[in-house]
Amino acid sequence: MRILGAFLLLLLGVPHVRAQTPAFDAGWYDPARPHLKIGVVEDGIYAVTAADLQQAGFDPATLPAASLRLLANGRPVPFHLTGADPETWAPTDSLLFVGHRNTGADEAWAWNGDLARRSSDRTSLYTDTTFYWLTWGGTPGLRYEPPPATPKPPPAPRCGRRCTWNRTASTTSATPTMPPSRPTPAAKAFTGTASAPTRPRPSRARTPSPPPT
């Protein structure tokens, strides 16, 4: 018995095993609002359907979808609600979000604030399940923004007389071409008389005759 008491005193006297528990802020929880608890044990994309809500006792037809809010560990989690109208939950709509298993990343209090002392960064001291909370009726939560609209194709190039159009099923392009050449005028017929060229004759010097006596 004395040995056990001494061991406990020794254990409590070791400074690195003393857990420092920070103040937990539970302000995200509103007891006046409904909350749906969702457990996730693997990383992936999860969907909450209208059938899931009905099975949990909620009517998606009367649910104010515009004020949906998803949280984990008191922090907002973005989500996407399928369907054309983001303010209503149709029977075929689903709430999609990226879920992660519990790796103990929020258990720094158990390691005196130093998570590097853990034996594994993939497991928790207590459970591998991360709990997400879906609520509504208050401040709207984070949502993924819809992708931008498909950009319009660039306008076709404007061409003058030097371009011809080549249209296919998927592309339109302009191919420059040379303008048509003018016709070469026909050679006129020669109607004159052809003769061989003559060489000029050299001039001869003439001796003047003496004057008469």
Side-chain angles (χ1 to χ4, degrees):
M1 189 67 177
R2 293 180 180 178
I3 297 177
L4 179 60
F7 175 76
L8 291 177
L9 290 176
L10 179 62
L11 182 62
L12 293 176
V14 179
H16 67 268
V17 298
R18 293 176 181 176
Q20 299 177 357
T21 305
F24 178 73
D25 182 14
W28 63 271
Y29 177 75
D30 185 356
R33 305 293 181 190
H35 291 79
L36 178 63
K37 188 177 182 181
I38 307 168
V40 169
V41 296
E42 294 291 342
D43 296 346
I45 300 177
Y46 289 83
V48 181
T49 64
D52 296 331
L53 290 175
Q54 293 175 348
Q55 185 177 1
F58 301 105
D59 185 7
T62 60
L63 187 148
S67 61
L68 286 171
R69 190 182 183 194
L70 186 65
L71 303 107
N73 296 326
R75 294 184 291 269
V77 177
F79 64 89
H80 171 65
L81 183 64
T82 63
D85 188 359
E87 298 185 358
T88 59
W89 195 314
T92 57
D93 293 350
S94 298
L95 184 142
L96 307 178
F97 70 96
V98 179
H100 299 279
R101 58 171 295 174
N102 186 14
T103 60
D106 59 341
E107 298 172 359
W109 58 267
W111 307 97
N112 282 349
D114 187 7
L115 289 176
R117 298 176 57 189
R118 296 184 299 169
S119 59
S120 173
D121 60 355
R122 294 290 299 168
T123 58
S124 166
L125 290 174
Y126 304 98
T127 177
D128 61 352
T129 305
T130 300
F131 291 102
Y132 293 81
W133 299 87
L134 179 63
T135 183
W136 52 88
T139 303
L142 296 179
R143 297 199 183 199
Y144 289 108
E145 295 183 359
T150 304
K152 297 182 180 180
R158 300 180 62 183
C159 295
R161 295 180 179 179
R162 292 180 178 270
C163 292
T164 58
W165 293 102
N166 295 331
R167 297 182 180 271
T168 62
S170 58
T171 60
T172 302
S173 61
T175 304
T177 58
M178 296 297 296
S181 58
R182 297 181 179 179
T184 304
K188 294 183 179 180
F190 181 74
T191 57
T193 303
S195 60
T198 58
R199 298 176 60 183
R201 296 180 180 180
S203 60
R204 296 180 181 180
R206 302 178 66 181
T207 302
S209 58
T213 56

